[in-house]
Amino acid sequence: MENEVPLIKVTIDGQEIRVPVGTTIMEAARQIGPSVAPPAMCYYKPLQGSGGKCRACLVKVAAGSEKDPRPMPKLVASCITGAQDGMVVENFTNPEVVEARKGVVEFLLINHPLDCPVCDQAGECHLQDFAFENGVGEKRFVEEKRTFEPEDIGDKVQLHMNRCILCYRCVYTANQLTEKRVHGVMGRGDHAQISTYIKNSLESDFYGNVIDVCPVGALTDKTYRFKSRVWFSKPVDAHCACEKCSGKVQVWYKGDEVIRVTARKNQWGEVEDFICNTCRFDRKKTSDWVIEGPSKVARNSVIAQNKYGLNQGKKPEFALNYAAKNFKGIDDARDYNQNLDEIKKSEDYKALMQKNDKFFSKEKSLK
Amino acid sequence: MSVTFTEDKLKKAQEIILRYPEGRQKSALLPILHLAQEQFGWVSSDTMDYVAGLLSITPVEVYEVATFYTMFHLEPVGKHVIEYCRTGPCCAMGGEEVFSHLKTKLGIKANETTSDGLFTLKEVECLAACGWGPCFQIREKYFMHLTNQKVDDIIEELSK
Amino acid sequence: MANDIKILTEHINIPGIETFEVYRKAGGYNAVEKAIKKMSPDEIVEEVKKSGIRGRGGAGFPMGMKWSFLAKPEGVPRYLVCNADESEPGTFKDHYLMKNLPHLLIEGMIVSSFALGANKSFIYVRGELMYVVRILEKAIEEAKAAGFLGKNILGSGYDLELVVQPGGGAYICGEETALLESLEGKRGNPRNKPPFPAVKGLYQSPTVVNNVESIANTPWVINHGGEEYAKIGIGRSTGTKLISASGHIKNPGVYEITLGLPVDEFMNSDQYLGGIRDGHYLKAVVAGGSSVPILPANLFYKTANGEDRLMSYESLSDGGFPTGTMLGSGGFIAMDETTCIVRNTWNFSRFYHHESCGQCSPCREGTGWMEKVLHRIEHGHGTMSDIDLLVDVAKKIEGNTICPLGDAAAWPVASAIRHFRDEFEWHINHPNEATKPGAVYMGAEILA
Ligand SMILES: Cc1cc2nc3c(=O)[nH]c(=O)nc-3n(C[C@H](O)[C@H](O)[C@H](O)COP(=O)(O)O)c2cc1C
Ligand code: SF4
Ligand code: SF4
Ligand code: SF4
Ligand code: FES
Ligand code: FES
């Protein structure tokens, strides 16, 4: 049957591909490869209904279709726009798209705390990557940043609302995987926030997956907090005979110690098999797992490329510029590969801790 | 605190739920939140849980909605909530002066309640009465063509 | 040209017209009788098409065309939803129409629902207008008692139920897909399009969303025919339009004008706005609700080509964004020389910031950013680069969002800077003078 789905021809940044009718521009581009795939901050293929919100994936449709080759008047969100036969799409090759995307990066960053130095997501953060690859270094936002009161959502998942980009992925995840969603988006506009509204904890068996789908450090694993920087740990593929989920996971080691367990992700950072909370939070011994071997590491991961280490001259400027302005204590020349414990002992770090007393005391009270 | 509708309100709520096609009872959420606010004066989380029960939806679905719309008071409010339009056209009709008079008169700022618990002041956006402005709303009633004098009279009347 | 034909408001001054009895005596519900007894749904759609009437909610999309797009799959219900969320600053015409002539809307809803094959139709009224909800509910009861609503209307076998739904306080629910979400009991987050409501609307069924005023025109179209309707007005701006006027004019209020009325006549004749209040003169106009570009007085009266402007879709938009504006929802705001454009722009910007649903990043973050910058300029803390920053932020929002609220937030800022840049610069260069209460830049002289 599958063979009978008619194929259509789409051209993206000059490269042609044939895809089944009904494929989105995003999926067609991904089939060609990372060089033409638009960035995605909200779209998440495994999550029904996701996409269309962040506008990171805007592209220009230079020709609508074979039948109607007129260009579309506005940029379209490639993750939710269906490809048509004969459609011509411009992504990285179109200045209008590049400009709009710079705008999106800037919009996502203006109110973002950029506390990468103390963020558990650093190194595997899609916002870092997105900004690094599509943004500008210059900072024009001089207003006070919006902040949210810290909220405790249980002893497994840590919420840092200030880092949230409102992609709604975690909401779709809870809708799709749990019986009763207890968190959601409260309020509206730029004060909309992820919250449980009344004190409530995210506990059902599959809730932990919100951590993996979150593109930023807004939802992180409390059992992993501050245990390591991601680039100091080594992921291996492993499985177990789990009665609740597929049991196929990634186990993250620091030395001999299992410091966290996550689902496995494909090259687009999307979870392949969602895992249960038992696997994620409770199986923290090597003996809990059958190890398959080192994980294939995603294309843009710091773990694979040691990106920040290799590109010393080209560090993520936005973050460093910002950090330089705001956390004057940080020495930009510091070696990123220093051991965390050493960093913690350094004067810089202590000064930073003091300067951000308020922030940290809030953090601690949540632990 | 347990929350329940009066018999009247419950009957009304059930009527409202029946207005929508089968399986679409969630559509009744906004009208029923209005009913709840009518009875309780504001919408507490207990009220929201109660409404969720009435509609067989999860509480978080109610929280998400109630926090989206600005008409629902999520904190206790005074006896009279004055919702004052602060938008451009009303300002052009003299709204800013009248509003500052009102604030002085009550001795409170926007989003505050007088110490006697009589008045809560809220700033709202355009109430679709621009040419009849300046205006405010107290519960369902619109007060339009406001002047300082009129404001004094209204406050006096409601303070009785 | 007959300048004073009243399609909607002919009977508005008859005492008791809000009751079924009086409304019926004045010829009300004749259109229902004619439509249901003598016409087929397709014929009605045809008449509406011929009338050339364009949606009165703001976008001006031809109503007949919208109706003909409605998908009609077998066995799936169709819905008509009336957009009575009216929240665009400057706009209060639907409020006026519904509170004074509730039966006109009900009559329009019946014939329109019949034409579209809807058996359950909704009127979504902004929640603040709860008293209007009650007026409409009463009118519905009366119409039902008289056999014009409910089961088997006038013995035709056609059933229709009308539901009045209150909103909860959110401008964004005026956007049609946000309205549908809200009507389903959800947050008013606009949907991504496609699919359009005509294919997947309320409860995932084909749906037409029309403005109150659009629907209120249909009884007249049925009574007199689409061709007659098309004779009123000018060019592609057929019929009449309700204009709600506010600001520094002598006679604020709601007016039904024939489209094509010269702007000058509307502005200055005693029959309409009566001109600017005594001792003052016109500085700027927002002609179609806060979202449309602001125009300085000279460009309002005459187009860039020196032609007299008319109150019509085409004439007001002549010149496009640089020198034109839009008829929009008909929310007409006149500002005299005492108006500080910076302050007004900040005020509008605060509105959009407050009303953004927060779903997409450019609007969620950009509206707040613009407001903060404008707030700074207004309060004497602006810098010259802020002006270009605002223009650039507006540009990065415009066209890149899920729904047109992003554009609506960007245009007032971009147009105010385009036409009144010197005023922004003055604010920045003279923070002390500019922050005095009532201070307004007037070219060389300063009014304080
Ligand atoms: C932010 C926003 C607010 C809107 N508010 C209203 C409104 O209050 N009333 C209205 O009729 N249309 C409003 N519209 C337009 C509607 O989306 C829709 O175009 C209209 O209801 C269609 O009806 P019409 O074709 O009869 O004009 C709004 C659009 C946007 C983008
Ligand atoms: S979420 Fe990403 S960008 Fe934000 S602080 Fe954490 S690592 Fe940095
Ligand atoms: S918490 Fe994370 S997943 Fe949830 S909306 Fe925010 S950024 Fe997205
Ligand atoms: S443009 Fe604004 S109001 Fe519209 S969907 Fe995006 S955030 Fe919401
Ligand atoms: S990825 Fe397409 S809009 Fe977010
Ligand atoms: S601006 Fe106040 S009612 Fe419209």
Side-chain angles (χ1 to χ4, degrees):
Chain A
M1 288 296 281
E2 255 176 39
N3 298 343
E4 285 168 30
V5 180
L7 293 181
I8 53 175
K9 187 188 84 182
V10 194
T11 312
I12 303 170
D13 278 354
Q15 299 195 51
E16 255 178 42
I17 187 159
R18 284 177 188 279
V19 291
V21 166
T23 308
T24 58
I25 298 173
M26 171 73 80
E27 286 303 327
R30 283 182 173 184
Q31 283 184 31
I32 298 175
S35 63
V36 297
M41 294 300 293
C42 68
Y43 169 71
Y44 204 76
K45 194 177 177 201
L47 296 176
Q48 242 182 17
S50 68
K53 299 196 193 305
C54 71
R55 319 307 279 178
C57 70
L58 290 173
V59 294
K60 175 80 191 172
V61 174
S65 67
E66 189 75 54
K67 273 195 223 119
D68 182 0
R70 284 176 304 174
M72 291 190 184
K74 289 186 194 176
L75 303 183
V76 300
S78 55
C79 64
I80 47 161
T81 307
Q84 306 291 330
D85 196 18
M87 189 182 257
V88 179
V89 176
E90 293 167 358
N91 184 22
F92 297 109
T93 52
N94 183 301
E96 202 188 330
V97 172
V98 170
E99 196 54 21
R101 219 168 263 161
K102 274 186 202 157
V104 175
V105 170
E106 194 173 24
F107 287 133
L108 287 179
L109 291 184
I110 55 171
N111 279 304
H112 195 86
L114 287 172
D115 42 13
C116 314
V118 293
C119 178
D120 266 341
Q121 194 84 359
E124 52 181 1
C125 173
H126 286 235
L127 184 56
Q128 282 184 325
D129 292 338
F130 176 51
F132 183 56
E133 284 156 19
N134 301 283
V136 280
E138 174 206 17
K139 181 179 79 90
R140 305 187 291 176
F141 184 79
V142 296
E143 325 301 327
E144 199 176 315
K145 292 197 181 226
R146 160 197 68 217
T147 53
F148 296 91
E149 289 296 309
E151 183 180 326
D152 185 355
I153 56 169
D155 58 359
K156 297 291 196 310
V157 183
Q158 175 73 41
L159 171 64
H160 281 281
M161 187 55 215
N162 291 342
R163 297 178 190 148
C164 170
I165 60 158
L166 280 177
C167 68
Y168 282 64
R169 282 181 188 172
C170 57
V171 179
Y172 295 120
T173 304
N175 275 346
Q176 205 164 307
L177 300 179
T178 69
E179 256 167 31
K180 193 174 160 205
R181 177 160 64 87
V182 298
H183 86 288
V185 180
M186 308 298 152
R188 76 172 184 222
D190 66 358
H191 280 84
Q193 59 173 311
I194 295 295
S195 162
T196 54
Y197 193 66
I198 51 165
K199 197 172 157 40
N200 210 338
S201 53
L202 274 46
E203 259 162 6
S204 103
D205 266 348
F206 283 83
Y207 237 119
N209 288 294
V210 297
I211 297 166
D212 285 340
V213 302
C214 182
V216 289
L219 294 171
T220 50
D221 184 340
K222 265 195 185 173
T223 66
Y224 168 68
R225 266 169 75 73
F226 298 137
K227 282 228 167 116
S228 174
R229 311 302 284 165
V230 58
W231 52 88
F232 300 131
S233 54
K234 281 215 160 37
V236 300
D237 285 0
H239 66 264
C240 72
C242 181
E243 62 288 355
K244 291 185 196 144
C245 67
S246 71
K248 288 189 202 155
V249 303
Q250 262 183 347
V251 174
W252 297 72
Y253 280 97
K254 186 181 173 193
D256 295 339
E257 189 194 351
V258 175
I259 50 171
R260 69 168 174 169
V261 177
T262 65
R264 295 183 199 171
K265 292 182 177 179
N266 66 15
Q267 76 172 125
W268 313 110
E270 291 168 347
V271 165
E272 289 162 347
D273 280 306
F274 289 107
I275 62 170
C276 70
N277 284 5
T278 315
C279 282
R280 182 185 304 274
F281 298 123
D282 301 335
R283 298 195 165 129
K284 295 268 174 97
K285 293 195 300 290
T286 299
S287 59
D288 291 331
W289 299 103
V290 181
I291 309 289
E292 298 168 14
S295 303
K296 269 203 281 176
V297 172
R299 69 181 165 104
N300 53 4
S301 166
V302 283
I303 309 153
Q305 301 177 348
N306 208 354
K307 186 154 75 187
Y308 302 137
L310 280 182
N311 299 320
Q312 284 291 347
K314 243 190 122 188
K315 278 178 280 189
E317 284 167 44
F318 71 91
L320 291 178
N321 287 345
Y322 185 80
K325 278 217 178 74
N326 290 273
F327 311 133
K328 291 218 176 65
I330 298 183
D331 172 10
D332 282 357
R334 189 184 65 208
D335 179 5
Y336 267 65
N337 294 323
Q338 248 173 325
N339 185 304
L340 182 70
D341 290 329
E342 273 178 52
I343 293 177
K344 276 195 170 165
K345 274 184 244 150
S346 72
E347 289 305 313
D348 292 355
Y349 188 80
K350 281 182 200 153
L352 173 68
M353 293 290 275
Q354 263 169 11
K355 282 229 171 90
N356 293 279
D357 224 9
K358 206 171 116 213
F359 175 77
F360 277 90
S361 60
K362 275 183 193 162
E363 298 256 305
K364 279 190 191 122
S365 66
L366 282 183
K367 262 211 282 199
Chain B
M1 188 182 76
S2 92
V3 170
T4 36
F5 272 154
T6 58
E7 228 168 86
D8 263 15
K9 289 266 188 289
L10 194 60
K11 201 167 139 255
K12 180 86 190 139
Q14 273 149 0
E15 270 172 37
I16 291 174
I17 293 170
L18 287 177
R19 301 199 301 215
Y20 309 97
E22 238 182 282
R24 303 294 183 178
Q25 80 286 355
K26 191 176 172 183
S27 281
L29 184 46
L30 286 182
I32 289 184
L33 283 173
H34 280 297
L35 270 191
Q37 184 152 296
E38 252 174 65
Q39 179 174 332
F40 306 110
W42 65 293
V43 180
S44 66
S45 61
D46 289 322
T47 306
M48 292 189 235
D49 292 351
Y50 175 68
V51 170
L54 283 180
L55 297 177
S56 322
I57 55 180
T58 56
V60 75
E61 292 177 88
V62 183
Y63 309 153
E64 285 181 320
V65 167
T67 57
F68 185 90
Y69 298 93
T70 51
M71 285 183 75
F72 302 113
H73 311 309
L74 304 177
E75 307 273 336
V77 285
K79 183 168 171 216
H80 306 289
V81 184
I82 303 179
E83 295 177 287
Y84 191 95
C85 170
R86 67 174 185 188
T87 315
C90 269
C91 294
M93 308 289 289
E96 283 175 298
E97 293 75 33
V98 176
F99 193 30
S100 57
H101 174 76
L102 175 63
K103 285 192 275 196
T104 319
K105 170 105 190 155
L106 294 176
I108 53 174
K109 297 199 288 281
N111 295 319
E112 290 179 352
T113 301
T114 51
S115 53
D116 57 7
L118 263 185
F119 297 99
T120 297
L121 197 53
K122 288 203 170 182
E123 277 181 299
V124 296
E125 298 292 355
C126 179
L127 288 168
C130 324
W132 309 314
C135 64
F136 61 55
Q137 169 169 41
I138 302 178
R139 288 226 171 184
E140 292 184 17
K141 195 166 162 49
Y142 270 62
F143 295 83
M144 299 181 281
H145 305 289
L146 292 174
T147 57
N148 290 356
Q149 182 58 48
K150 258 191 160 168
V151 165
D152 290 348
D153 295 347
I154 294 164
I155 298 297
E156 207 137 300
E157 183 62 33
L158 292 174
S159 302
K160 275 183 197 158
Chain C
M1 184 171 54
N3 252 352
D4 42 12
I5 182 153
K6 303 286 180 241
I7 289 179
L8 303 167
T9 57
E10 187 184 352
H11 302 306
I12 204 157
N13 292 321
I14 301 179
I17 193 72
E18 69 283 357
T19 63
F20 177 83
E21 245 193 325
V22 176
Y23 181 76
R24 180 81 176 118
K25 268 203 202 110
Y29 289 98
N30 285 351
V32 176
E33 277 187 307
K34 181 170 176 189
I36 288 191
K37 291 189 178 154
K38 303 200 183 118
M39 296 171 80
S40 72
D42 287 345
E43 279 166 1
I44 301 174
V45 175
E46 214 32 59
E47 290 305 317
V48 171
K49 264 193 187 161
K50 275 192 229 158
S51 75
I53 180 175
R54 293 162 70 174
R56 303 295 195 224
F61 191 81
M63 192 167 170
M65 210 194 287
K66 185 187 268 188
W67 284 17
S68 62
F69 288 157
L70 185 69
K72 297 186 173 159
E74 237 4 85
V76 179
R78 281 165 246 151
Y79 294 103
L80 169 65
V81 178
C82 172
N83 188 342
D85 191 54
E86 191 169 64
S87 315
E88 168 106 352
T91 317
F92 51 105
K93 48 141 191 136
D94 297 338
H95 179 182
Y96 173 81
L97 199 66
M98 290 188 290
K99 87 171 177 180
N100 291 306
L101 287 168
H103 282 286
L104 178 63
L105 177 60
I106 307 298
E107 185 178 7
M109 284 299 285
I110 300 171
V111 296
S112 304
S113 302
F114 177 70
L116 298 167
N119 298 107
K120 195 185 270 294
S121 298
F122 296 86
I123 306 174
Y124 183 100
V125 184
R126 62 177 298 177
E128 291 87 345
L129 290 178
M130 197 57 96
Y131 85 97
V132 173
V133 169
R134 308 211 191 274
I135 290 174
L136 289 171
E137 278 175 345
K138 182 157 168 281
I140 288 173
E141 283 312 310
E142 292 173 346
K144 211 181 226 170
F148 285 94
L149 264 175
K151 292 241 171 293
N152 195 15
I153 295 173
L154 303 180
S156 63
Y158 174 63
D159 304 338
L160 175 65
E161 210 183 312
L162 276 189
V163 175
V164 187
Q165 178 88 350
Y171 164 65
I172 189 56
C173 291
E175 194 281 336
E176 55 187 8
T177 58
L179 186 152
L180 297 175
E181 286 285 295
S182 179
L183 189 43
E184 292 181 5
K186 302 182 196 153
R187 297 161 60 79
N189 284 352
R191 297 176 184 168
N192 273 296
K193 284 149 283 219
F196 290 94
V199 180
K200 278 190 176 166
L202 184 63
Y203 308 134
Q204 296 296 305
S205 301
T207 304
V208 164
V209 181
N210 271 131
N211 172 258
V212 172
E213 186 187 345
S214 313
I215 289 173
N217 270 290
T218 53
W220 199 96
V221 171
I222 286 173
N223 287 332
H224 301 85
E227 270 167 38
E228 280 304 303
Y229 190 96
K231 286 181 193 159
I232 305 162
I234 181 166
R236 288 181 55 232
S237 297
T238 62
T240 63
K241 175 87 189 81
L242 292 178
I243 306 287
S244 58
S246 61
H248 300 129
I249 40 177
K250 282 206 189 120
N251 315 320
V254 179
Y255 298 88
E256 181 171 7
I257 62 159
T258 301
L259 285 166
L261 179 73
V263 156
D264 186 27
E265 187 180 341
F266 179 60
M267 187 70 206
N268 294 312
S269 78
D270 288 336
Q271 190 188 349
Y272 298 107
L273 308 187
I276 289 292
R277 58 184 177 166
D278 284 334
H280 295 274
Y281 59 88
L282 183 69
K283 176 177 183 176
V285 168
V286 174
S290 60
S291 305
V292 311
I294 190 173
L295 283 184
N298 57 331
L299 277 175
F300 170 61
Y301 283 120
K302 292 207 187 285
T303 66
N305 296 331
E307 283 162 29
D308 285 341
R309 248 193 236 281
L310 310 177
M311 294 295 287
S312 73
Y313 291 96
E314 290 75 20
S315 179
L316 282 173
S317 57
D318 187 303
F321 183 80
T323 60
T325 181
M326 283 185 272
L327 181 61
S329 60
F332 187 97
I333 311 160
M335 302 173 195
D336 69 16
E337 81 290 352
T338 64
T339 311
C340 171
I341 299 294
V342 176
R343 190 168 183 79
N344 188 68
T345 310
W346 163 54
N347 184 297
F348 281 178
S349 196
R350 178 177 65 183
F351 172 82
Y352 292 104
H353 176 202
H354 187 259
E355 300 299 331
S356 162
C357 84
Q359 255 191 121
C360 53
S361 12
C363 170
R364 176 182 66 239
E365 305 295 343
T367 51
W369 192 358
M370 290 196 301
E371 193 216 321
K372 284 176 181 168
V373 174
L374 282 161
H375 180 273
R376 249 191 316 104
I377 299 178
E378 164 65 13
H379 291 85
H381 308 291
T383 62
M384 267 322 185
S385 61
D386 283 338
I387 299 181
D388 290 333
L389 174 67
L390 282 171
V391 173
D392 191 57
V393 172
K395 201 165 72 195
K396 291 208 158 103
I397 300 173
E398 190 195 342
N400 293 337
T401 54
I402 297 177
C403 87
L405 187 137
D407 305 349
W411 289 335
V413 176
S415 61
I417 293 177
R418 166 174 279 276
H419 297 300
F420 298 95
R421 195 181 181 107
D422 49 347
E423 201 165 330
F424 285 83
E425 289 173 354
W426 179 75
H427 262 258
I428 290 164
N429 288 330
H430 302 86
N432 293 332
E433 285 102 308
T435 45
K436 279 190 201 135
V440 175
Y441 171 77
M442 295 176 51
E445 2 156 16
I446 309 312
L447 188 87

